[in-house]
Amino acid sequence: MIQAIPKFAIKPGYRPQAEDTSAETDLLTFYLLRQRTPSDRLRMAASLIRSSRKLSLSSLSQQFGHLSPTLFAQKIALAWLQEYCPPNYIPTGESLMWIQDSVSLAVKLHPIFKKLGISYYITGGVAAISYGEPRTTQDLDLVMAISSEDIDRLTNALGQAGFYVPGVDDVKSGRMRTLQITDMESISRADLVVAGTDEFERLKFERRRVIEFEGIALYFASPEDVILNKLRWRQGSGSEKQWRDVLGVLKVQADNLDFDYLTQWAEQLGIADALNQALTDAGI
C-alpha cells in the first residue's frame, strides 16, 4: 500500500538544505527521514561513504594503476588523508578493506574503550547523521573521559589493534586535547578528544544516547548537545557544513528535543541568537 504524503505548510523563514532544493522537496525529504530510526540513518550514511570511497578508488586506479601495489597504496592514503597522512604510511589492508566508513570505525573502537572502562560518546558529523541528514564524512569525532594515567593504556591498546597514534606525550602533558589516530588497515581516521571537566561536559556524558550499529550498542552525544556543539564550532569557523548539520538535526528531531535545555545552554554559551536563527531556518 502506497503511503499518503501529507501536505506541508511552509513556515516563514524556512530554509532548505541546499539552494537548488525547493522548500516542498526539502520538507518531504525530512518527513521521510523522520520515519527512519537513528540506526537506519547511520546505515544510509555508511553506504554513501563506502560508495564515495569506491568511486574514488576506481578513479585513482585509472590514473595511477601503473604504480606498484605499495606506491599505489601510498597514493590512496595520501589522497584520502591529506595533511593527516602518517609519514611513510603504507596501508596494511587489501583494497577491499579501504572501502570503509566512519561508523564502522566506531564499531572497531568500541570494544577497546569498553575493555579499558573508558566512557565515551560520539559527536561531530557521525552524531549529526544519526539524528539528522545522512551525508558523507571523512573522520570520526569521539570524546572520552580519561585521566592522563590511562592515556598509555589506551594508546597501547590502540597500537595493538592496528592504529597509528601520534602526539601521545602532548596529550598526557595537557598541551593537546586530541589524539588524532589512523586505522592502518582501512585508511580511516578518528579524533579522540579528552573531555573537559566543566558542568556542561558532565551533563553531556549523563545525557548520552545508545544507538545500535552492526549489532554493537554505541554511545552518542544527545541531539541537543550535537546542536549546541555545532553552533559553538560554527561561531568560530563560519562553517556552512556545521549549519546544515544543525538544521538537519532540528528538522528530524523537532518533536523530540528538550527546548528548555537547548535554550538554557545556548544562553550560557553565548549562542542564543544563532539557535534562534536555526530554529527559524528549520521551521520550528
Side-chain angles (χ1 to χ4, degrees):
M1 182 176 179
I2 298 176
Q3 182 181 7
I5 303 298
K7 292 184 178 181
F8 303 109
I10 303 173
K11 295 185 178 180
Y14 185 87
R15 173 180 170 179
Q17 298 295 90
E19 292 184 359
D20 60 352
T21 302
S22 69
E24 292 83 356
T25 299
D26 197 79
L27 286 164
L28 174 59
T29 297
F30 282 94
Y31 167 79
L32 295 174
L33 283 174
R34 284 193 292 273
Q35 315 309 309
R36 303 296 188 101
T37 66
S39 298
D40 289 337
R41 291 188 289 270
L42 285 173
R43 282 190 288 269
M44 292 167 68
S47 178
L48 287 173
I49 296 167
R50 290 175 185 242
S51 294
S52 68
R53 280 203 163 200
K54 188 174 182 179
L55 179 61
S56 175
L57 184 60
S58 176
S59 176
L60 291 171
S61 295
Q62 293 181 37
Q63 291 180 271
F64 303 106
H66 61 282
L67 297 177
S68 68
T70 297
L71 289 177
F72 180 69
Q74 288 180 308
K75 178 69 72 174
I76 296 294
L78 183 59
W80 288 358
L81 299 177
Q82 299 182 35
E83 69 268 27
Y84 299 107
C85 187
N88 305 311
Y89 171 32
I90 301 175
T92 58
E94 299 295 327
S95 58
L96 285 177
M97 286 300 302
W98 304 344
I99 304 172
Q100 184 61 276
D101 61 86
S102 301
V103 197
S104 294
L105 184 59
V107 171
K108 183 172 183 177
L109 288 169
H110 173 82
I112 297 175
F113 284 93
K114 184 177 181 180
K115 183 177 181 180
L116 297 177
I118 299 171
S119 297
Y120 76 88
Y121 63 80
I122 296 165
T123 185
V126 173
I129 287 164
S130 70
Y131 298 123
E133 179 185 25
R135 65 168 174 84
T136 60
T137 182
Q138 292 183 329
D139 51 27
L140 172 72
D141 295 307
L142 184 150
V143 176
M144 53 186 181
I146 188 170
S147 65
S148 58
E149 293 78 15
D150 282 335
I151 293 292
D152 284 332
R153 294 174 62 226
L154 175 61
T155 54
N156 288 337
L158 290 170
Q160 292 173 13
F163 287 90
Y164 171 73
V165 190
V168 176
D169 289 339
D170 286 334
V171 173
K172 288 173 63 178
S173 68
R175 289 190 296 270
M176 298 283 290
R177 290 185 56 215
T178 303
L179 284 172
Q180 297 178 327
I181 67 172
T182 303
D183 182 4
M184 301 296 280
E185 183 179 51
S186 66
I187 321 181
S188 300
R189 62 177 304 276
D191 285 341
L192 309 183
V193 182
V194 177
T197 57
D198 58 19
E199 175 70 6
F200 185 43
E201 193 63 74
R202 182 186 68 78
L203 284 172
K204 283 189 278 188
F205 273 93
E206 286 185 1
R207 294 168 52 82
R208 293 182 303 170
R209 305 284 183 88
V210 174
I211 299 174
E212 184 175 301
F213 184 78
E214 296 183 356
I216 302 295
L218 301 172
Y219 290 98
F220 284 74
S222 72
E224 294 87 358
D225 291 320
V226 171
I227 291 168
L228 292 169
N229 284 338
K230 284 191 165 287
L231 288 176
R232 292 178 78 187
W233 292 335
R234 182 179 182 270
Q235 192 176 40
S237 66
S239 169
E240 185 64 22
K241 181 174 66 174
Q242 305 292 356
W243 191 251
R244 179 166 179 156
D245 278 347
V246 167
L247 297 188
V249 176
L250 286 171
K251 290 173 182 179
V252 173
Q253 301 296 325
D255 295 335
N256 305 312
L257 293 171
D258 183 342
F259 287 101
D260 289 339
Y261 177 86
L262 270 175
T263 301
Q264 174 191 345
W265 279 100
E267 290 176 353
Q268 293 194 39
L269 297 170
I271 52 175
D273 289 344
L275 175 61
N276 289 332
Q277 185 61 56
L279 292 172
T280 298
D281 286 5
I284 297 174

